[in-house]
């Protein structure tokens, strides 16, 4: 899990795919944080991605850096605890301009049943589950 988190952070931007009905939706993301042994991302509840994940928590993440790409298939599960939100916002203090752990918008989600695969054109894929 730590390797996945570090890769996402080092990539800077990764892409999160969800579904809306029968339509795939993909958008850039940039948060990755381990809290209490789980890998979290962050968004706002007012965004369509939040509604999409509320209906279907299955998601996939893809990131690329230095000739290696990472795909993570998982379920994203909301954690409403203030402690989880605060931990994320403390890690990404620049988000505090838009979010606060006590507001009704900040949403943190952890990865459940995650299968992460690192791939490249020069090495065999490596898969991790968490």
């Amino acid at each position: 899990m730590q390797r996945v988190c570090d890769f996402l952070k080092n990539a800077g931007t990764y892409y999160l795919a969800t579904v809306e009905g029968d339509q795939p939706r993909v958008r850039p993301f940039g948060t990755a944080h381990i809290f209490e042994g789980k890998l979290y991302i962050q968004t706002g509840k007012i965004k369509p991605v939040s509604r999409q994940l509320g209906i279907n928590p299955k998601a996939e993440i893809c990131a690329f850096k230095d000739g290696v790409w990472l795909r993570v298939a998982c379920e994203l599960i909301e954690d409403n605890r203030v402690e989880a939100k605060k931990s994320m916002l403390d890690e990404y203090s620049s988000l505090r301009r838009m979010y606060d752990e006590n507001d009704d918008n900040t949403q943190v989600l952890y990865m459940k049943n995650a299968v992460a695969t690192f791939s490249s054109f020069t090495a065999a894929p490596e898969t991790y589950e968490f």
Side-chain angles (χ1 to χ4, degrees), residues 18-38:
T18 59
V19 292
E20 184 174 54
D22 65 351
Q23 179 63 48
R25 302 289 182 193
V26 180
R27 80 281 293 151
F29 261 67
T31 55
H33 178 61
I34 295 176
F35 175 70
E36 294 183 347
K38 296 177 182 170

Side-chain angles (χ1 to χ4, degrees), residues 9-66:
K9 285 183 177 186
N10 289 329
T13 300
Y14 59 87
Y15 297 88
L16 174 69
T18 59
V19 292
E20 184 174 54
D22 65 351
Q23 179 63 48
R25 302 289 182 193
V26 180
R27 80 281 293 151
F29 261 67
T31 55
H33 178 61
I34 295 176
F35 175 70
E36 294 183 347
K38 296 177 182 170
L39 181 51
Y40 283 76
I41 66 168
Q42 185 274 333
T43 192
K45 289 182 181 180
I46 63 169
K47 296 181 178 181
V49 65
S50 177
R51 288 187 297 279
Q52 292 156 8
L53 289 167
I55 294 168
N56 182 350
K58 290 184 179 181
E60 192 155 303
I61 290 171
C62 187
F64 182 83
K65 183 162 178 65
D66 298 331

